Amino acid sequence: MNDKIAYARHGNVAVLRLENPPVNALSHAVRGGLMAGMDRAEADTGVRAVLLVGAGRAFIAGADIKEFGKTPLEPHLPDVCNRIEASPLLVVASMHGVSLGGGLEVALSAHYRIAQPDARLGLPEVHLGLIPGAGGTQRLPRVAGVEAALDMITTGRHVMAPEALAMGVIDQIEAGDPEAIGLAYAKALLYEEAARRPVSEMPAPAPVDWDARYAAVLRKGRGQISPAQAVRAVQASVEMPFDAGLKAERAMFRELMETDQRQGMIHAFFAERAVSNLPGLEGIAPRALTGVGVIGGGTMGAGIATAALLSGLRVCLIERDTAVAEAARGRISANLAGALKRGKISQEQQDAMLDHALVLATDYAALKDADLVIEAVFEEMATKKTVFKQLDKVCKPGAVLATNTSYLDVNEIAAGTSRAGDVIGLHFFSPAHVMKLLEVVVTDQTTPDVVATGFALGKRLGKVAVRAGVCDGFIGNRILNTYRSAADHMVLDGASPFQIDAALADFGFAMGPFAMADLAGLDIAWAMRKRRAPHLDSRARVGKYADRLCEAGHFGQKTGAGFYTYEQGQRVGTPNPDVMSLIEAERAARGITPRDFTDAEITRRYMAAMANEAARVVGEGIARRPLDVDMVLLFGYGFPRFWGGPLKWADLLGLPALLADVERFAQEDVFFWEPAPLLQQLVSEGRNFDDLNKAG
Ligand code: 3H9
């Protein structure tokens, strides 16, 4: 026994209580303690049953992810599970909070399972680039059938206790103290002389069309391997005897453990949690937030207001006249109706938000009590400055004044007020009530408690908040601008936008840059190009074909045509036949002889441009750490989670290889492909981006 497993005797039941806060992860010590606990219970005269229960807020959240990538130490979890199941004693699991991954596998090794009504169960290993590796793919199909098991394992989705009961994964639901309930259940089972019930002895479930399932899951995963591999593991549970199935599962698990995808996804898991931990802000209390103001009720302002309402904040939204304000209310109402439809809020909550929590006004004076105001008006410095002048006049002392600008200089906006320390950028992504990313843009003068308030708001709204410094485009849009240019250059030199989109979708992006531009609206990038044109370095290459599309009124999805053409109401288009002739005309005018690009070269150039600019953003201190950039791209730009982010991708590729790419490409365009100083420095020191993450 050890300090991770408490042993107690209650009559003829032995209780093994896991005590490994915060979530009872199955670390080496816990696994050892469970083995020893089972030995002790079996040797303890008079004990007839064992109850497994977790202390604190969860039964077990799974294997200890921090141990992944290190040499696995005995006892291994599959052996612990088999040991539990094979016990001659009756084994009961009492589940509360979460039972995830190895946690559910331990429970499935018990002979009976009881759970709290709000308990959550799941096998989320695919989100870590893995499959269950301690019998989950063999035991779950035996208790719940192949369909339910495939659904849970390939999606990693969590299931609430009532659904788990209906699936046969648990035997009973009861509210109360997990240990007391588990004890009563174990005693009742003993009283009824219930038999041991090892899942491994249950009959194998019925087969399905495995190849079709494999192909469907592979397609849906956009290049992610583990969900498809999970289909093969479940197949083994049907086609092989239990022990052979376990071996097959173990082999697949070990193979996946060695993949880059596993590393990328585990990086994402920890980075998502580390991103909001802000060195230097420890102990700094955020300002109180009960009511917020939003200036502007367009798509962005309405989305921000919706997010704030959904989080329980009061919202005062300012528009220029009553008619426009009513249109904003319509947008918010439609957003909330979506939340109601998805079961996120009740009808009463929706009514309360619209009738009481939301106030629409046309006079800035209505903001006098707001704790924080977010401006979401037209992207133009003069307009923003006018708004901030008025806010400065009406807002109470201590109110946080935020701008949702996506690229303007927040220092300049702040300087136009008498309270620059209270000014911050809060850059939401559209639709703001859905997208998880929030860039918290900190100016030279923003005070620490205002920064803390930005992060507190992000947390309250359920966002992944990332600190960014001031520059054109902050972290995300600045890097986007660079990799979009790389795509543009490839189009000028011979690739088609459609080949580029397809290659990047194969890499795992939700969408390629041209399909994405169609979705965002080609007019947005067009306006940006016009804004930048006077400041552009003469060596910069910028294609004109997209301008030609815009001049013809093709702004992408919203006009039915852009790089692709869209049938009425369709979001997936077919290549616009006019695009290639525009591009060919431009190549001819520039004297470019087009050449072929392979898909691999397209991906390599696009990623190299992204990672090189990301390195520059970190080197300049715009992002604090490489992982901050990774999270921005993951949560705001459709970057494939299984690569962990552009700088994790760079680490996995190897920084010398990345630098060699950049230097090779620089032979064609020395201006665009200038290596980032930080990249050069890390290569010369033999270090990588993760070393910087670890250094904080
Ligand atoms: C597995 O089980 C493989 C097996 O099939 C086979 C093995 C052979 N390990 O998220 P939170 C930490 S794979 C280590 O902020 P919440 C987390 O880092 C595993 N640490 O809280 C954080 O630490 P810190 C399958 C873990 O309430 C703290 O706990 N299981 C683990 O929002 C609090 O976490 C999973 O994939 C872990 N397994 O959410 C479950 N889990 O405070 C992954 C959490 O230092 N975990 N921590 O930043 C989760 O989904 C969420 O963390 C959970 C709690 C829902 C549990």
Side-chain angles (χ1 to χ4, degrees), residues 79-234:
D79 301 331
V80 176
C81 290
N82 292 344
R83 165 79 184 83
I84 291 170
E85 190 186 62
S87 176
L89 303 175
L90 193 77
V91 187
V92 173
S94 179
M95 301 147 81
H96 75 289
V98 293
S99 305
L100 297 175
L104 181 54
E105 290 174 302
V106 166
L108 286 168
S109 310
H111 304 138
Y112 292 89
R113 288 161 288 280
I114 186 166
Q116 302 286 316
D118 59 353
R120 270 195 290 148
L121 287 64
L123 291 173
E125 284 86 345
V126 291
H127 297 313
L128 302 173
L130 294 167
I131 59 170
T137 63
Q138 308 303 298
R139 290 193 176 92
L140 188 62
R142 282 179 162 78
V143 296
V146 165
E147 290 298 348
L150 280 176
D151 169 44
M152 275 181 75
I153 300 171
T154 61
T155 64
R157 87 179 166 91
H158 294 186
V159 166
M160 297 301 291
E163 189 182 351
L165 182 69
M167 289 167 127
V169 180
I170 57 174
D171 302 294
Q172 199 161 318
I173 295 180
E174 210 168 317
D177 172 61
E179 185 166 330
I181 279 168
L183 265 175
Y185 184 50
K187 287 191 171 165
L189 287 168
L190 287 176
Y191 181 75
E192 291 164 15
E193 297 189 356
R196 287 171 63 260
R197 207 184 43 172
V199 173
S200 64
E201 291 173 12
M202 292 180 182
V208 296
D209 181 345
W210 302 108
D211 290 349
R213 289 308 174 87
Y214 180 87
V217 171
L218 195 61
R219 218 173 22 250
K220 195 166 161 228
R222 285 202 299 257
Q224 201 197 334
I225 319 159
S226 59
Q229 197 65 302
V231 175
R232 295 301 183 209
V234 173

Side-chain angles (χ1 to χ4, degrees), residues 246-293:
L246 264 191
K247 277 209 185 85
E249 175 199 79
R250 191 83 190 129
M252 289 182 223
F253 177 85
R254 289 212 162 121
E255 215 170 275
L256 288 167
M257 191 57 105
E258 299 308 314
T259 59
D260 286 350
Q261 293 199 355
R262 191 275 297 169
Q263 288 198 51
M265 292 192 92
I266 287 183
H267 169 74
F269 177 84
F270 285 116
E272 192 178 337
R273 286 157 179 80
V275 79
S276 59
N277 111 41
L278 290 175
L281 284 190
E282 300 91 351
I284 306 266
R287 297 183 186 173
L289 284 180
T290 51
V292 301

